[in-house]
Amino acid sequence: MAWGGRIAVVTGAAGGIGTAFADRLAGLGATVVRADVRYAAAAGEDRVHLDVADPASWDRLRGLVSERFGPPDLLVNNAGVSARTDLVTTTDEDFARVLAVNAFGAWRGIKTFADDLASTRGAVVNVGSIYGATTPPTGAGTVPSSVAYQMSKAAVHQLTKVAAVELAPRGIRVNAVLPGVFRTPLLDDLPPEAVDARVRRAPMSRPGATGELADALAFLAGPGASFVTGVLLPVDGGYLAAS
Ligand SMILES: NC(=O)c1ccc[n+]([C@@H]2O[C@H](COP(=O)([O-])OP(=O)(O)OC[C@H]3O[C@@H](n4cnc5c(N)ncnc54)[C@H](O)[C@@H]3O)[C@@H](O)[C@H]2O)c1
């Protein structure tokens, strides 16, 4: 398979979806640099501390990847956070934090590695969300709609298109997966009935398995998608089609 000898950087790799992504890429033969704010500074050769909201942290990561492994072939902008508050109850601090991690972080990652990815004719896969394209259920048993999260993911979707257009002449493809509902720690603070309301909204009426999202990542990042760029691919059991 074409992944042998290739280098991938996965952000948010200590979490549910990020771990599945990193494990899949490693299973395909890639050398994977797992980056997460939860890793200690000296977590290991391929486990690296990264705060995607901090420009200096990105610069340190680039230096380290280049020194230890060489320029990456793939950047997966997966790190993300939410704040379960609606439009009027969201604090300025929470709004800024969610936008900084989800939107600024994805942009800064691409900016940081653009020259390296051009040198490898590499790819970027961003992680958007169905909630950057539609809104969650409202009403009994649900929770506030995370206005900052939804705005940040819409920004990631547009970033994907802008980057695809700007970086195509440099040989870099940029796509996004838009997860539906996946039972990861991100949903731990949601009451079960709110998760169920979301799950039931998808015609397939079940949560996704992280392996199903990794299948989409492997396609978008791999040679089978050599003519695919600027795509926002929902992996959502039909959620967006029904919204
Ligand atoms: N779980 C879902 O249903 C779902 C749906 C749509 C989109 N997503 C997106 O999938 C991605 C992964 O989410 P998940 O469900 O695995 O959640 P998760 O909370 O399990 O994992 C998120 C990871 O990001 C890391 N992270 C948070 N802030 C960071 C920072 N500043 N710098 C670096 N790393 C940071 C966390 O430490 C964690 O390991 C996120 O972008 C999320 O928005 C998830």
Side-chain angles (χ1 to χ4, degrees):
M1 171 62 186
W3 289 96
R6 299 204 169 222
I7 294 147
V9 175
V10 180
T11 73
I17 290 169
T19 299
F21 283 169
D23 289 350
R24 173 65 61 90
L25 293 166
L28 289 169
T31 297
V32 182
V33 181
R34 300 168 190 252
D36 201 291
V37 75
R38 283 193 275 161
Y39 291 142
E45 165 96 345
D46 60 353
R47 277 179 171 68
V48 180
H49 177 83
L50 169 72
D51 178 356
V52 297
D54 174 8
S57 190
W58 276 111
D59 293 342
R60 270 196 301 279
L61 176 70
R62 185 189 179 206
L64 191 148
V65 171
S66 128
E67 184 187 304
R68 289 184 190 167
F69 305 103
D73 302 271
L74 173 65
L75 169 65
V76 184
N77 277 318
N78 165 75
V81 292
S82 189
R84 309 287 181 197
T85 45
D86 64 17
L87 194 144
V88 293
T89 56
T90 296
T91 63
D92 295 352
E93 291 72 24
D94 277 349
F95 185 89
R97 180 179 61 91
V98 173
L99 268 289
V101 173
N102 298 1
F104 173 89
W107 166 73
R108 192 52 162 80
I110 297 174
K111 177 180 155 96
T112 302
F113 283 108
D115 287 345
D116 292 340
L117 291 165
S119 75
T120 57
R121 299 189 75 74
V124 176
V125 177
N126 293 325
V127 179
S129 171
I130 51 170
Y131 296 133
T134 189
T135 50
T138 53
T142 63
V143 293
S145 67
S146 314
V147 62
Y149 182 82
Q150 295 178 65
M151 290 175 66
S152 72
K153 290 300 184 178
V156 169
H157 299 175
Q158 190 62 11
L159 167 69
T160 303
K161 295 182 186 178
V162 172
V165 170
E166 287 195 15
L167 299 178
R170 302 181 67 188
I172 304 169
R173 296 182 303 103
V174 185
N175 294 293
V177 288
L178 277 50
V181 182
F182 289 78
R183 289 191 195 275
T184 68
L186 190 74
L187 308 191
D188 279 353
D189 61 345
L190 285 178
E193 52 277 24
V195 177
D196 289 345
R198 294 174 180 210
V199 168
R200 279 196 312 273
R201 248 205 193 181
M204 290 180 70
S205 208
R206 66 167 174 84
T210 54
E212 294 174 308
L213 211 43
D215 289 339
L217 168 77
F219 166 67
L220 289 174
S226 54
F227 199 47
V228 179
T229 197
V231 159
L232 309 177
L233 178 61
V235 182
D236 67 351
Y239 195 112
L240 282 182
S243 291

